[in-house]
């Protein structure tokens, strides 16, 4: 009788515990984090379909040069590339003379002062110099951008999840707020000075649409400069700035995989050859 009572008590305890767990799970599902506009309307990046995607991806040099042209003519006015040197552009297919000419198009301030004007003296960049920042300091950058600080783009493709596709989606994702969003969340109307973009974390971004219309850039190779094309090209370029050795990494990875496969096959064949007689002798014994 005592065992039966103990069993019933234990069973009741287990049932109470199970009910508590289920009730807690249901309560958490209902009363957990509130449903927000960001949860419902934030979108995952769309695929840009870049040639560098995938484990065997390679850069398209022509696309990288077009992307650099978009950065130079559209993005460089606000965003820096402080971890990239002008001489690195040789990897895009530019000659030494072309790299030198590109570097000289940017001026860099020096510690000295122009004795005639009293302004900081400037000099032409060398190929060994890194891309200069468009603003002298953070205060000036915020003052020129409605108190928003334009981020450096050198590592942006690695700093954001699915970076290449994120950049492409963000550049092509500007739109009016959906009527459904305003219906469900009437208090989250995009504030003045911000722009609705479903690919940005909180849906509203301070940066105006940088690529606003077709033919904003006249490509040197004659490619039609649509908004979509320019967004893909600059995304490819920023993928390169973040991972300039991507092709080497892919090639090394392939060589390592081939080596490991060959090593595994040889190791297995050696195992079979060395232990075949031992196994036979053990069975016979």
């Amino acid at each position: 009788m005592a065992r039966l009572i103990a069993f019933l008590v234990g069973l009741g305890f287990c049932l109470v515990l199970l009910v508590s767990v289920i009730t807690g799970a249901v309560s958490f599902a209902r009363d957990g984090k509130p449903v927000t506009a960001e949860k419902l309307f934030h979108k995952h990046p769309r695929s840009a379909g870049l040639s560098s995607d995938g484990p065997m991806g390679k850069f398209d040099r022509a696309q990288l040069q077009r992307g650099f042209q978009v950065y130079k003519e559209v993005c460089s006015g606000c965003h820096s590339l402080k971890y990239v040197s002008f001489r690195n552009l040789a990897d895009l297919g530019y000659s030494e003379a072309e790299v030198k000419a590109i570097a000289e198009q940017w001026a860099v301030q020096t510690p000295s002062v122009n004795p005639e004007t009293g302004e900081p003296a400037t000099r032409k960049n060398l190929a060994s110099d890194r891309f200069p920042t468009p603003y002298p300091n953070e205060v000036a950058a915020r003052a020129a951008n409605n108190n928003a600080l334009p981020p450096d783009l050198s590592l942006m493709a690695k700093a954001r999840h699915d970076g290449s596709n994120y950049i492409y989606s963000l550049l092509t994702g500007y739109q009016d707020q959906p009527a459904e969003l305003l219906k469900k969340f009437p208090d989250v109307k995009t504030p003045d000075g911000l722009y609705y973009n479903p690919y940005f974390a909180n849906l509203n971004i301070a940066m105006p649409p940088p690529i606003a219309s077709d033919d904003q850039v006249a490509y040197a190779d004659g490619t039609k400069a649509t908004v979509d094309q320019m967004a893909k090209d600059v995304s490819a370029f920023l993928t390169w700035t973040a991972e300039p050795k991507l092709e080497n990494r892919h090639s090394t990875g392939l060589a390592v995989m081939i080596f490991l496969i060959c090593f595994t096959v040889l190791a297995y064949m050696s195992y079979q050859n060395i232990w075949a007689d031992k196994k036979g002798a053990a069975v016979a014994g």
Side-chain angles (χ1 to χ4, degrees):
M1 180 62 69
R3 291 183 177 178
L4 179 60
I5 294 175
F7 172 77
L8 293 175
V9 171
L11 181 62
F13 176 79
C14 292
L15 290 175
V16 171
L17 181 62
L18 180 62
V19 170
S20 299
V21 170
I22 295 175
T23 303
V26 172
S27 299
F28 178 79
R30 290 179 178 177
D31 304 326
K33 295 181 179 180
V35 177
T36 62
E38 290 83 354
K39 278 189 176 182
L40 290 180
F41 292 91
H42 180 261
K43 295 182 179 180
H44 293 289
R46 297 178 293 116
S47 174
L50 302 180
S51 62
S52 57
D53 292 344
M56 298 303 297
K58 293 187 176 182
F59 289 122
D60 179 346
R61 260 54 187 181
Q63 184 174 51
L64 294 182
Q65 290 192 14
R66 293 196 301 269
F68 170 63
Q69 187 176 349
V70 174
Y71 167 77
K72 177 184 174 185
E73 298 184 19
V74 177
C75 310
S76 65
C78 297
H79 297 278
S80 58
L81 280 181
K82 63 182 179 182
Y83 297 116
V84 182
S85 298
F86 287 101
R87 62 186 174 191
N88 297 139
L89 296 177
D91 294 339
L92 275 58
Y94 291 108
S95 67
E96 183 178 346
E98 289 174 325
V99 170
K100 182 179 179 181
I102 291 171
E104 290 180 350
Q105 293 173 7
W106 267 271
V108 61
Q109 290 186 353
T110 65
S112 58
V113 175
N114 188 323
E116 297 179 0
T117 64
E119 298 292 332
T122 61
R123 65 167 175 81
K124 293 181 179 180
N125 276 286
L126 305 175
S128 58
D129 290 326
R130 293 182 176 180
F131 281 81
T133 59
Y135 303 104
N137 51 54
E138 180 178 332
V139 175
R142 290 186 181 279
N145 293 278
N146 196 25
N147 204 39
L149 179 64
D152 179 79
L153 298 181
S154 306
L155 303 176
M156 186 56 65
K158 295 185 72 174
R160 298 291 185 270
H161 174 67
D162 200 10
S164 303
N165 294 328
Y166 167 79
I167 295 169
Y168 165 71
S169 300
L170 186 74
L171 291 175
T172 57
Y174 288 87
Q175 57 187 265
D176 294 331
Q177 276 189 303
E180 183 182 358
L181 184 152
L182 294 175
K183 182 178 179 180
K184 291 184 177 181
F185 304 94
D187 296 332
V188 297
K189 189 177 186 305
T190 299
D192 293 337
L194 299 182
Y195 303 84
Y196 180 78
N197 193 316
Y199 298 100
F200 194 64
N202 64 2
L203 305 180
N204 299 311
I205 186 171
M207 178 177 67
I211 303 177
S213 61
D214 294 345
D215 300 318
Q216 192 169 333
V217 172
Y219 280 137
D221 63 0
T223 300
K224 176 64 176 176
T226 63
V227 170
D228 189 77
Q229 183 68 55
M230 289 184 284
K232 286 182 178 179
D233 292 342
V234 76
S235 299
F237 173 70
L238 294 178
T239 301
W240 171 80
T241 64
E243 290 197 82
K245 303 300 182 184
L246 177 142
E247 292 175 323
N248 293 340
R249 179 166 58 82
H250 287 176
S251 299
T252 301
L254 176 62
V256 169
M257 291 301 298
I258 293 175
F259 169 79
L260 290 176
I261 291 172
C262 293
F263 178 80
T264 302
V265 172
L266 291 174
Y268 177 76
M269 294 173 64
S270 299
Y271 167 80
Q272 292 288 79
N273 184 55
I274 293 171
W275 291 97
D277 295 338
K278 304 293 188 296
K279 287 184 177 180
V283 171

